[in-house]
PDB file of all heavy atoms in Angstrom:
ATOM      1  N   ASP Q 461     281.677  84.070  40.506  1.00  0.00           N
ATOM      2  CA  ASP Q 461     280.994  85.373  40.310  1.00  0.00           C
ATOM      3  C   ASP Q 461     281.196  85.886  38.900  1.00  0.00           C
ATOM      4  O   ASP Q 461     282.267  86.310  38.413  1.00  0.00           O
ATOM      5  CB  ASP Q 461     281.633  86.368  41.362  1.00  0.00           C
ATOM      6  CG  ASP Q 461     280.966  87.847  41.115  1.00  0.00           C
ATOM      7  OD1 ASP Q 461     280.054  87.998  40.339  1.00  0.00           O
ATOM      8  OD2 ASP Q 461     281.305  88.661  42.017  1.00  0.00           O
ATOM      9  N   PRO Q 462     280.070  85.938  38.077  1.00  0.00           N
ATOM     10  CA  PRO Q 462     280.256  86.382  36.722  1.00  0.00           C
ATOM     11  C   PRO Q 462     280.507  87.805  36.514  1.00  0.00           C
ATOM     12  O   PRO Q 462     280.878  88.293  35.425  1.00  0.00           O
ATOM     13  CB  PRO Q 462     279.073  85.869  35.979  1.00  0.00           C
ATOM     14  CG  PRO Q 462     278.034  86.117  37.148  1.00  0.00           C
ATOM     15  CD  PRO Q 462     278.636  85.639  38.299  1.00  0.00           C
ATOM     16  N   GLY Q 463     280.344  88.706  37.609  1.00  0.00           N
ATOM     17  CA  GLY Q 463     280.640  90.080  37.553  1.00  0.00           C
ATOM     18  C   GLY Q 463     279.485  91.050  37.747  1.00  0.00           C
ATOM     19  O   GLY Q 463     279.482  92.250  37.526  1.00  0.00           O
ATOM     20  N   TRP Q 464     278.376  90.479  38.264  1.00  0.00           N
ATOM     21  CA  TRP Q 464     277.270  91.383  38.540  1.00  0.00           C
ATOM     22  C   TRP Q 464     276.514  90.748  39.888  1.00  0.00           C
ATOM     23  O   TRP Q 464     276.887  89.572  40.089  1.00  0.00           O
ATOM     24  CB  TRP Q 464     276.278  91.511  37.492  1.00  0.00           C
ATOM     25  CG  TRP Q 464     275.506  90.327  36.998  1.00  0.00           C
ATOM     26  CD1 TRP Q 464     274.326  89.815  37.417  1.00  0.00           C
ATOM     27  CD2 TRP Q 464     275.929  89.376  35.981  1.00  0.00           C
ATOM     28  NE1 TRP Q 464     273.992  88.652  36.900  1.00  0.00           N
ATOM     29  CE2 TRP Q 464     275.015  88.341  35.842  1.00  0.00           C
ATOM     30  CE3 TRP Q 464     277.023  89.379  35.140  1.00  0.00           C
ATOM     31  CZ2 TRP Q 464     275.090  87.291  34.855  1.00  0.00           C
ATOM     32  CZ3 TRP Q 464     277.160  88.308  34.199  1.00  0.00           C
ATOM     33  CH2 TRP Q 464     276.179  87.295  34.051  1.00  0.00           C
ATOM     34  N   ALA Q 465     275.689  91.496  40.417  1.00  0.00           N
ATOM     35  CA  ALA Q 465     275.151  91.076  41.783  1.00  0.00           C
ATOM     36  C   ALA Q 465     274.257  89.864  41.547  1.00  0.00           C
ATOM     37  O   ALA Q 465     273.618  89.755  40.657  1.00  0.00           O
ATOM     38  CB  ALA Q 465     274.436  92.287  42.390  1.00  0.00           C
ATOM     39  N   PRO Q 466     274.320  89.086  42.595  1.00  0.00           N
ATOM     40  CA  PRO Q 466     273.311  87.937  42.508  1.00  0.00           C
ATOM     41  C   PRO Q 466     271.955  88.327  42.609  1.00  0.00           C
ATOM     42  O   PRO Q 466     271.613  89.506  43.050  1.00  0.00           O
ATOM     43  CB  PRO Q 466     273.606  87.161  43.929  1.00  0.00           C
ATOM     44  CG  PRO Q 466     274.929  87.625  44.249  1.00  0.00           C
ATOM     45  CD  PRO Q 466     275.156  89.004  43.740  1.00  0.00           C
ATOM     46  N   TRP Q 467     270.949  87.583  42.084  1.00  0.00           N
ATOM     47  CA  TRP Q 467     269.531  87.926  42.004  1.00  0.00           C
ATOM     48  C   TRP Q 467     268.921  87.915  43.447  1.00  0.00           C
ATOM     49  O   TRP Q 467     269.172  86.971  44.185  1.00  0.00           O
ATOM     50  CB  TRP Q 467     268.878  86.968  41.115  1.00  0.00           C
ATOM     51  CG  TRP Q 467     267.511  87.575  40.583  1.00  0.00           C
ATOM     52  CD1 TRP Q 467     267.230  88.640  39.969  1.00  0.00           C
ATOM     53  CD2 TRP Q 467     266.240  86.979  40.859  1.00  0.00           C
ATOM     54  NE1 TRP Q 467     265.879  88.817  39.647  1.00  0.00           N
ATOM     55  CE2 TRP Q 467     265.235  87.699  40.297  1.00  0.00           C
ATOM     56  CE3 TRP Q 467     265.920  85.817  41.515  1.00  0.00           C
ATOM     57  CZ2 TRP Q 467     263.931  87.430  40.243  1.00  0.00           C
ATOM     58  CZ3 TRP Q 467     264.443  85.567  41.649  1.00  0.00           C
ATOM     59  CH2 TRP Q 467     263.585  86.345  40.880  1.00  0.00           C
ATOM     60  N   ASP Q 468     268.189  88.868  43.768  1.00  0.00           N
ATOM     61  CA  ASP Q 468     267.751  89.025  45.208  1.00  0.00           C
ATOM     62  C   ASP Q 468     266.176  88.696  45.323  1.00  0.00           C
ATOM     63  O   ASP Q 468     265.492  89.010  46.275  1.00  0.00           O
ATOM     64  CB  ASP Q 468     267.916  90.489  45.676  1.00  0.00           C
ATOM     65  CG  ASP Q 468     267.277  91.460  44.832  1.00  0.00           C
ATOM     66  OD1 ASP Q 468     266.539  91.253  43.907  1.00  0.00           O
ATOM     67  OD2 ASP Q 468     267.350  92.693  45.111  1.00  0.00           O
ATOM     68  N   GLY Q 469     265.617  88.081  44.165  1.00  0.00           N
ATOM     69  CA  GLY Q 469     264.235  87.723  44.148  1.00  0.00           C
ATOM     70  C   GLY Q 469     263.349  88.707  43.537  1.00  0.00           C
ATOM     71  O   GLY Q 469     262.207  88.643  43.484  1.00  0.00           O
ATOM     72  N   ASP Q 470     263.906  89.891  43.093  1.00  0.00           N
ATOM     73  CA  ASP Q 470     263.193  90.922  42.435  1.00  0.00           C
ATOM     74  C   ASP Q 470     264.224  91.616  41.567  1.00  0.00           C
ATOM     75  O   ASP Q 470     265.364  91.501  41.547  1.00  0.00           O
ATOM     76  CB  ASP Q 470     262.626  91.878  43.527  1.00  0.00           C
ATOM     77  CG  ASP Q 470     261.508  92.848  42.970  1.00  0.00           C
ATOM     78  OD1 ASP Q 470     261.120  92.513  41.833  1.00  0.00           O
ATOM     79  OD2 ASP Q 470     261.253  93.793  43.658  1.00  0.00           O
ATOM     80  N   GLY Q 471     263.544  92.597  40.687  1.00  0.00           N
ATOM     81  CA  GLY Q 471     264.329  93.243  39.704  1.00  0.00           C
ATOM     82  C   GLY Q 471     264.771  92.561  38.561  1.00  0.00           C
ATOM     83  O   GLY Q 471     264.540  91.279  38.279  1.00  0.00           O
ATOM     84  N   PRO Q 472     265.398  93.284  37.567  1.00  0.00           N
ATOM     85  CA  PRO Q 472     265.800  92.681  36.354  1.00  0.00           C
ATOM     86  C   PRO Q 472     267.007  91.860  36.351  1.00  0.00           C
ATOM     87  O   PRO Q 472     267.866  92.055  37.173  1.00  0.00           O
ATOM     88  CB  PRO Q 472     265.935  93.915  35.369  1.00  0.00           C
ATOM     89  CG  PRO Q 472     266.474  95.006  36.356  1.00  0.00           C
ATOM     90  CD  PRO Q 472     265.769  94.629  37.707  1.00  0.00           C
ATOM     91  N   PRO Q 473     267.197  90.994  35.468  1.00  0.00           N
ATOM     92  CA  PRO Q 473     268.455  90.248  35.193  1.00  0.00           C
ATOM     93  C   PRO Q 473     269.493  91.159  34.545  1.00  0.00           C
ATOM     94  O   PRO Q 473     269.135  92.285  34.047  1.00  0.00           O
ATOM     95  CB  PRO Q 473     268.081  89.137  34.358  1.00  0.00           C
ATOM     96  CG  PRO Q 473     267.022  89.655  33.500  1.00  0.00           C
ATOM     97  CD  PRO Q 473     266.280  90.724  34.312  1.00  0.00           C
ATOM     98  N   LYS Q 474     270.785  90.668  34.607  1.00  0.00           N
ATOM     99  CA  LYS Q 474     271.851  91.347  33.834  1.00  0.00           C
ATOM    100  C   LYS Q 474     271.383  91.234  32.422  1.00  0.00           C
ATOM    101  O   LYS Q 474     271.064  90.257  31.848  1.00  0.00           O
ATOM    102  CB  LYS Q 474     273.191  90.650  34.069  1.00  0.00           C
ATOM    103  CG  LYS Q 474     274.280  90.790  33.038  1.00  0.00           C
ATOM    104  CD  LYS Q 474     274.794  92.323  33.095  1.00  0.00           C
ATOM    105  CE  LYS Q 474     275.946  92.397  32.192  1.00  0.00           C
ATOM    106  NZ  LYS Q 474     276.401  93.767  32.043  1.00  0.00           N
ATOM    107  N   VAL Q 475     271.721  92.310  31.564  1.00  0.00           N
ATOM    108  CA  VAL Q 475     271.384  92.433  30.138  1.00  0.00           C
ATOM    109  C   VAL Q 475     272.563  92.291  29.379  1.00  0.00           C
ATOM    110  O   VAL Q 475     273.510  93.099  29.544  1.00  0.00           O
ATOM    111  CB  VAL Q 475     270.487  93.563  29.787  1.00  0.00           C
ATOM    112  CG1 VAL Q 475     270.236  93.720  28.383  1.00  0.00           C
ATOM    113  CG2 VAL Q 475     269.057  93.455  30.524  1.00  0.00           C
ATOM    114  N   PHE Q 476     272.653  91.341  28.374  1.00  0.00           N
ATOM    115  CA  PHE Q 476     273.707  91.398  27.407  1.00  0.00           C
ATOM    116  C   PHE Q 476     273.169  91.851  25.995  1.00  0.00           C
ATOM    117  O   PHE Q 476     272.175  91.431  25.489  1.00  0.00           O
ATOM    118  CB  PHE Q 476     274.296  89.966  27.247  1.00  0.00           C
ATOM    119  CG  PHE Q 476     275.151  89.596  28.398  1.00  0.00           C
ATOM    120  CD1 PHE Q 476     274.713  88.667  29.297  1.00  0.00           C
ATOM    121  CD2 PHE Q 476     276.535  90.061  28.547  1.00  0.00           C
ATOM    122  CE1 PHE Q 476     275.486  88.304  30.446  1.00  0.00           C
ATOM    123  CE2 PHE Q 476     277.283  89.683  29.565  1.00  0.00           C
ATOM    124  CZ  PHE Q 476     276.823  88.782  30.516  1.00  0.00           C
ATOM    125  N   GLY Q 477     273.799  92.791  25.371  1.00  0.00           N
ATOM    126  CA  GLY Q 477     273.550  93.148  23.960  1.00  0.00           C
ATOM    127  C   GLY Q 477     272.233  93.956  23.636  1.00  0.00           C
ATOM    128  O   GLY Q 477     271.619  93.745  22.619  1.00  0.00           O
ATOM    129  N   GLY Q 478     271.736  94.802  24.624  1.00  0.00           N
ATOM    130  CA  GLY Q 478     270.521  95.555  24.441  1.00  0.00           C
ATOM    131  C   GLY Q 478     270.262  96.456  25.477  1.00  0.00           C
ATOM    132  O   GLY Q 478     270.937  96.523  26.457  1.00  0.00           O
ATOM    133  N   PRO Q 479     269.223  97.296  25.346  1.00  0.00           N
ATOM    134  CA  PRO Q 479     268.936  98.265  26.347  1.00  0.00           C
ATOM    135  C   PRO Q 479     268.500  97.716  27.651  1.00  0.00           C
ATOM    136  O   PRO Q 479     268.034  96.495  27.632  1.00  0.00           O
ATOM    137  CB  PRO Q 479     267.892  99.118  25.725  1.00  0.00           C
ATOM    138  CG  PRO Q 479     267.233  98.267  24.740  1.00  0.00           C
ATOM    139  CD  PRO Q 479     268.342  97.394  24.167  1.00  0.00           C
TER     140      PRO Q 479
END
Side-chain angles (χ1 to χ4, degrees):
D461 181 354
W464 63 91
W467 197 61
D468 61 2
D470 193 14
K474 161 70 177 177
V475 172
F476 286 103

